[in-house]
Amino acid sequence: MNNEGNKDMAHRQHVKYFMRFLNILPSSLSSHDTTRVTIAYFSVAGLDVLGSISAISLDLRSRIIEWLYRLQVHPDKETGDMSLCGFQGSSTINIRLDPDNNQFRCGHLAMTYTGLCILLALGDDLSRINRTALIQGVKALQTDEGNFSATLSGCESDMRFVYCAACISYILNDWSGFDIEKATDYVIKSIGYDYGIAQCPELESHGGTTFCALATLALTDQLDKLSEAQIDGLKRWLVYRQIDGFQGRPNKPVDTCYSFWVGASLKILNALQLTNYGSNRRYVYETQDMVVGGFSKWPDTCTDPMHTYLGLSGLSLIGENGLLEIEPRLNITKRAYDHLKCLHEQWVS
Amino acid sequence: MSDCGDSDVLWIPYKERPEWSDVTPVPEDDGPNPVVVIAHSEKFEDVYDYFRAVLQSNEKSERVLHLTKDALELNPANYTVWQYRRDLLKHLNTDLRTELDYVEAVIKNSPKNYQVWHHRRVLVEWLQDPTMELELTGDALLQDPKNYHAWQHRQWAIKTFGLYEKELDFVDNLITDDVRNNSAWNQRYFVVNNNLGWSDLICQQEVCYTLEKINFVKNNESAWNYLRGLLIHDKRGLSGNAVITSFCEELYKNKCRSPFLLAFIIDVCEDAIKKKDTNCFHNADRAVELCQALATRYDKIRSKYWNYLCERYKKYQSEQLSNDNKTNDLIIDE
C-alpha cells in the first residue's frame, strides 16, 4: 500500500498520531478511562485504513491482544452464568470481587464490538473468545422493545447498542442472542416523520443513529423490511445532510465524523454516488492537522482519535487514494472483513 | 460538587486521611504490558485506588458516598461508580431530593454525558416525581436548544407522566426564537402525535402554522420536513391539500426557488402521478423540469441526486406517452 499521488494526506503524521494514542494519553483525557478499548479501536482501525497496520510491531500487536483478552469477562466460576459476559472498556475495576458485587464486572456492548474489531484488524483468530458466553451476554441486554442496553449494571439503552449487538452477533456468526424480529421492529419504530432514524422512537432523526439502524438492518438482512417510500425518504434525508461536508441533523453545523455516519448509510443504500465527493473531501481535509496529525470535527479545532478514524473512513468510502477499502456495515477494513470470512469458514467446518 | 475543590491546597489525598486509615487502597491492575495508558493525575489514582478498595470490601457508608462524588468529579462517565452510588443511596436510605440537586449540578457541568442523564432518570423513576424535569430540561435547552440528551429526557418525562399540557407553548417559543431549530419541530410532532391527535382540524391548524413559518424563512428544511410529515395524516395527501398547493405555486410565482420548495412540488407531482390525478401544475413534465432546475441551478451540490430522481419522472413521461399513443390508436381504430 503506498500513498503516491495523495499529497493532501498527512499520512505519516496520522500514523504517528495513532501510535501515540496506542501508547500513552495525557491526564486531561481521564474521562476516557472506561472507554480505552474504543480509543484502541480508533487507533488500530485507523492504522489499518491508512494501510499501515504494519506500523504496529509484532511485540506491540501481542501486547494489545493480551491486554484485550484480559478485559474479557468470563462465565461465573460457580454458577456458570453468562449474562455478564463480554468485554470491559478498561481494567479500572478489575479487582477480586465478592459474589455479591460480581455484577459490576460486566461486559459493555460497545467495548465487546470494538474489542472484536481490534482483534480482527490484528489478524487474531478469536480462538480465545468464548463465543457462547459473549452471545449470552448480548442476549441478556435486549429489552422487550427490541432495544439493547449497554451493560447489565445500570446503563442507558438505545440504537447505538442495537448496532453493537448486531455487529457482535454477525462477527461471531451466532444470532441466538439477538431477536432479529424485535430489533427490526424497534428500528422501524424509530423512523421519523422526515424518514431519518432516531436514537429511540419519536426522538429527532440523527445521522449517527441512522447509520446504526441501517447497518443493523443490513447485517441482519432485513433491509427489505423497509418500504419503497421509506427507502426513498431515507435517501433524500441522507443526501440533504450534505452542506459541503455532512451534518448530523437538519440545520446543524457540519462535522467530519458524519462523512462516515451519513456516507456509510448512503453506501448501504447504494446511494453514496449521488453525493458530491469533491465538496465532502474538501471539507474533511479542512479539518486535518498537518502538524500534530489527526482530524477534528471542525477546522482549527483539536483533533481526536474518533474524528481522525471516521474522517479517514469517510474518505475511504468515496475512494480516496492511499486508503484501504472499508466494509461500511461493520466499520472495519475489507482486509479485516476478509479475515473474518475466513474464520467463519473455519468455524463451520 | 466543590467539596473536593478546585484548589489543590484544600485537597488531602485519601491515603493521608486518618479517617480512612482502616482502608488499604487497591491499585489498578492493568496487566504487565498495558496499552492506551492514561497518565492519570495523582489525585485520580488516589481516589480510584480507594474506590476499588470499597468496591472490593462492599462497604456501603456515608463516607463512601462522598468518595463516589470525588470519583465522579474526576470521571463523570464511569458508569460503575454511578451504579455503586445508586446502590449506596438505596442502602443508606438517603434523601433522594438532595441527590436530585446533586445530579442537576453535574448535568449543568456535563450536559452531554449519558450516565448523568441516566442517573437522573432512575431517581425520577424511584421518586415517581417528575415535577422538576420540565424545568431542568428547559434550563439545559436554554444553554443548548438542540441538546439531544435534554430532549430525550424531556420526552421520556412527558410521555411517562403525561406532562403534555404546556408543551406546545414551549415548542412554539423555541420555534419563535429560532425557526430553524429542528429539535423543536420534532418535539412539535411528538406533542401533536401523542396528545392532540391528527384530526382534520388539528391537521389544518398545523398546516397554517407551518406555512406561516415557511413564509417567514423560506429556505428552512425543518419546516418543510414537518409539512411533509404532517401530511401523512391528512387523507387528502400531498397533492390534495389546496391550501398547500396554492401556497407553493404562489411562492414559485413570486420567484422563490428555495430547493425545499422545488423538492416539495416534485413530491406533490409524485403523489399526483401515483394517484393518477395529475393536472397542469402537478405532472411528470413539471417534475422533470424541477429536477433539472435543481441539478443545474438551485441545488447543485445534490445534482447527481436530482438527475437520478429525474430518471424516474422521465420514465413516467415515456409511459404517459406510450399510453397516449395507445389511446390514440384506439380512437383511430374506432
Side-chain angles (χ1 to χ4, degrees):
Chain A
M1 191 68 245
N2 64 65
N3 292 291
E4 288 168 25
N6 194 342
K7 298 195 196 78
D8 297 316
M9 176 75 72
H11 189 271
R12 247 177 347 119
Q13 288 88 325
H14 299 319
V15 170
K16 278 172 149 179
Y17 182 83
F18 286 131
M19 292 302 292
R20 277 203 303 276
F21 274 92
L22 278 175
N23 185 21
I24 195 155
L25 283 70
S27 64
S28 54
L29 296 181
S30 276
S31 63
H32 295 279
D33 188 42
T34 48
T35 57
R36 285 162 61 200
V37 171
T38 63
I39 298 181
Y41 160 71
F42 293 131
S43 304
V44 171
L47 287 165
D48 197 7
V49 75
L50 283 165
S52 296
I53 202 81
S54 55
I56 298 176
S57 66
L58 283 174
D59 178 62
L60 180 57
R61 177 187 175 276
S62 30
R63 276 175 54 204
I64 296 169
I65 292 173
E66 291 315 302
W67 175 77
L68 264 175
Y69 275 118
R70 287 181 99 255
L71 298 171
Q72 183 177 197
V73 178
H74 295 284
D76 188 288
K77 283 199 175 96
E78 316 224 326
T79 65
D81 182 65
M82 296 180 183
S83 56
L84 298 171
C85 292
F87 276 76
Q88 296 170 294
S90 66
S91 53
T92 311
I93 56 125
N94 279 3
I95 53 184
R96 186 186 36 79
L97 288 169
D98 283 343
D100 285 340
N101 263 354
N102 245 353
Q103 78 273 22
F104 292 111
R105 193 169 183 158
C106 58
H108 184 296
L109 283 183
M111 310 305 150
T112 307
Y113 156 59
T114 51
L116 288 170
C117 289
I118 296 168
L119 291 170
L120 288 174
L122 293 177
D124 185 80
D125 65 0
L126 305 188
S127 55
R128 289 156 69 183
I129 295 284
N130 186 336
R131 280 150 47 201
T132 312
L134 254 56
I135 295 297
Q136 286 304 303
V138 166
K139 188 173 187 174
L141 295 168
Q142 189 165 24
T143 70
D144 287 329
E145 265 191 295
N147 199 0
F148 279 83
S149 298
T151 68
L152 207 53
S153 81
C155 255
E156 69 279 14
S157 53
D158 57 54
M159 197 66 76
R160 296 171 296 157
F161 306 116
V162 178
Y163 171 65
C164 292
C167 287
I168 295 163
S169 304
Y170 186 94
I171 290 171
L172 299 182
N173 205 14
D174 182 346
W175 294 94
S176 60
F178 187 104
D179 186 325
I180 293 178
E181 200 180 314
K182 279 202 177 141
T184 304
D185 194 49
Y186 184 80
V187 165
I188 306 278
K189 282 208 182 84
S190 301
I191 299 175
Y193 62 82
D194 55 5
Y195 293 101
I197 309 183
Q199 190 81 292
C200 303
E202 304 195 274
L203 290 176
E204 192 184 358
S205 306
H206 186 286
T209 51
T210 300
F211 167 77
C212 289
L214 282 175
T216 298
L217 292 179
L219 289 167
T220 53
D221 202 22
Q222 302 294 301
L223 280 171
D224 59 355
K225 296 293 182 295
L226 294 171
S227 69
E228 208 183 301
Q230 284 168 332
I231 294 188
D232 281 345
L234 266 162
K235 284 181 186 170
R236 173 84 66 91
W237 190 87
L238 287 163
V239 304
Y240 268 1
R241 287 322 108 230
Q242 183 163 29
I243 310 297
D244 38 29
F246 285 84
Q247 65 191 180
R249 296 179 260 171
N251 291 322
K252 284 219 80 182
V254 295
D255 173 334
T256 287
C257 67
Y258 294 109
S259 290
F260 177 77
W261 302 126
V262 175
S265 299
L266 283 164
K267 191 86 176 184
I268 288 169
L269 295 176
N270 199 18
L272 183 59
Q273 69 278 12
L274 302 178
T275 60
N276 186 313
Y277 285 11
S279 293
N280 184 7
R281 185 183 184 277
R282 258 189 307 276
Y283 177 74
V284 174
Y285 273 111
E286 273 178 53
T287 67
Q288 177 178 241
D289 188 323
M290 306 276 301
V291 176
V292 167
F295 291 80
S296 53
K297 63 193 306 195
W298 300 324
D300 303 318
T301 322
C302 274
T303 59
D304 63 69
M306 186 192 86
H307 286 92
T308 305
Y309 173 63
L310 294 177
L312 289 168
S313 293
L315 286 172
S316 166
L317 288 175
I318 57 174
E320 182 72 3
N321 209 16
L323 296 177
L324 265 60
E325 195 183 338
I326 289 280
E327 203 296 324
R329 302 165 303 167
L330 291 172
N331 198 3
I332 54 179
T333 58
K334 279 250 152 62
R335 190 192 72 84
Y337 180 73
D338 288 340
H339 171 59
L340 174 65
K341 286 281 129 185
C342 281
L343 291 178
H344 283 178
E345 273 168 37
Q346 286 170 29
W347 293 345
V348 168
S349 60
Chain B
M1 270 311 290
S2 58
D3 54 353
C4 52
D6 293 307
S7 165
D8 283 331
V9 171
L10 293 171
W11 172 258
I12 302 168
Y14 279 80
K15 61 180 182 245
E16 286 167 32
R17 298 184 195 188
E19 67 273 24
W20 279 90
S21 57
D22 59 310
V23 173
T24 312
V26 176
E28 179 170 2
D29 179 13
D30 208 2
N33 293 305
V35 290
V36 197
V37 176
I38 302 178
H40 293 301
S41 64
E42 268 187 53
K43 182 172 172 179
F44 189 101
E45 280 185 4
D46 175 62
V47 170
Y48 275 89
D49 285 350
Y50 277 81
F51 177 72
R52 278 183 279 272
V54 301
L55 191 63
Q56 188 161 72
S57 67
N58 202 14
E59 182 181 331
K60 297 241 167 60
S61 63
E62 280 293 332
R63 69 175 181 174
V64 174
L65 198 62
H66 284 287
L67 173 62
T68 58
K69 216 180 213 183
D70 286 344
L72 290 169
E73 179 161 345
L74 290 162
N75 181 11
N78 190 319
Y79 51 86
T80 308
V81 179
W82 281 112
Q83 182 60 45
Y84 199 71
R85 190 176 171 89
R86 282 192 283 278
D87 289 354
L88 279 162
L89 293 170
K90 278 226 146 107
H91 184 92
L92 298 171
N93 221 6
T94 314
D95 175 15
L96 294 179
R97 298 199 176 274
T98 19
E99 185 69 3
L100 281 176
D101 289 339
Y102 164 64
V103 186
E104 187 177 344
V106 184
I107 285 174
K108 285 195 155 70
N109 271 340
S110 312
K112 298 201 174 168
N113 169 309
Y114 282 93
Q115 288 73 37
V116 159
W117 286 101
H118 178 74
H119 191 71
R120 179 85 188 190
R121 177 164 155 163
V122 173
L123 292 173
V124 172
E125 278 173 338
W126 284 351
L127 285 165
Q128 283 295 296
D129 178 6
T131 50
M132 297 194 290
E133 303 319 289
L134 294 183
E135 193 182 326
L136 174 79
T137 51
D139 286 344
L141 291 170
L142 220 61
Q143 300 306 311
D144 176 0
K146 301 181 185 184
N147 181 333
Y148 205 92
H149 303 266
W151 282 114
Q152 182 162 8
H153 187 78
R154 194 177 176 91
Q155 270 201 9
W156 168 79
I158 290 175
K159 204 160 183 187
T160 309
F161 298 98
L163 307 173
Y164 294 95
E165 195 192 329
K166 299 201 182 105
E167 193 61 3
L168 208 59
D169 286 338
F170 179 79
V171 162
D172 190 35
N173 281 331
L174 283 171
I175 291 177
T176 304
D177 281 346
D178 175 10
V179 74
R180 292 179 182 86
N181 185 335
N182 195 66
S183 313
W185 282 98
N186 183 73
Q187 189 75 346
R188 192 171 184 97
Y189 189 91
F190 166 76
V191 174
V192 179
N193 200 39
N194 287 319
N195 190 234
L196 302 178
W198 298 101
S199 65
D200 205 44
L201 178 65
I202 301 284
C203 274
Q204 297 326 305
Q205 279 176 359
E206 289 304 297
V207 165
C208 287
Y209 180 89
T210 312
L211 294 184
E212 187 199 311
K213 299 301 179 193
I214 289 176
N215 225 9
F216 179 54
V217 172
K218 292 158 182 74
N219 207 37
N220 176 10
E221 183 182 351
S222 300
W224 286 101
N225 282 352
Y226 186 78
L227 186 67
R228 232 158 91 247
L230 76 93
L231 286 174
I232 296 167
H233 305 278
D234 184 342
K235 38 189 179 319
R236 278 158 289 210
L238 229 65
S239 55
N241 191 313
V243 169
I244 295 178
T245 49
S246 52
F247 173 88
C248 290
E249 291 315 319
E250 195 64 27
L251 278 182
Y252 192 86
K253 210 171 64 175
N254 290 327
K255 305 282 191 256
C256 176
R257 294 294 180 265
S258 154
F260 302 115
L261 167 67
L262 305 196
F264 190 85
I265 299 176
I266 292 170
D267 291 342
V268 173
C269 293
E270 166 93 27
D271 194 55
I273 292 166
K274 280 221 166 76
K275 290 181 174 149
K276 296 186 167 38
D277 189 21
T278 56
N279 57 48
C280 57
F281 286 112
H282 306 121
N283 51 63
D285 293 342
R286 183 102 190 272
V288 167
E289 182 196 316
L290 289 171
C291 281
Q292 288 172 338
L294 284 161
T296 54
R297 284 181 77 180
Y298 301 113
D299 197 18
K300 287 196 271 204
I301 191 147
R302 269 166 280 282
S303 58
K304 293 204 175 105
Y305 173 75
W306 295 118
N307 287 331
Y308 152 82
L309 208 62
C310 201
E311 292 307 304
R312 175 187 304 184
Y313 301 111
K314 285 188 176 158
K315 213 170 157 212
Y316 286 137
Q317 275 179 321
S318 62
E319 277 168 14
Q320 184 67 47
L321 210 61
S322 86
N323 280 342
D324 288 346
N325 286 341
K326 285 202 191 106
T327 316
N328 287 338
D329 290 343
L330 284 171
I331 292 171
I332 289 164
D333 282 347
E334 279 169 15

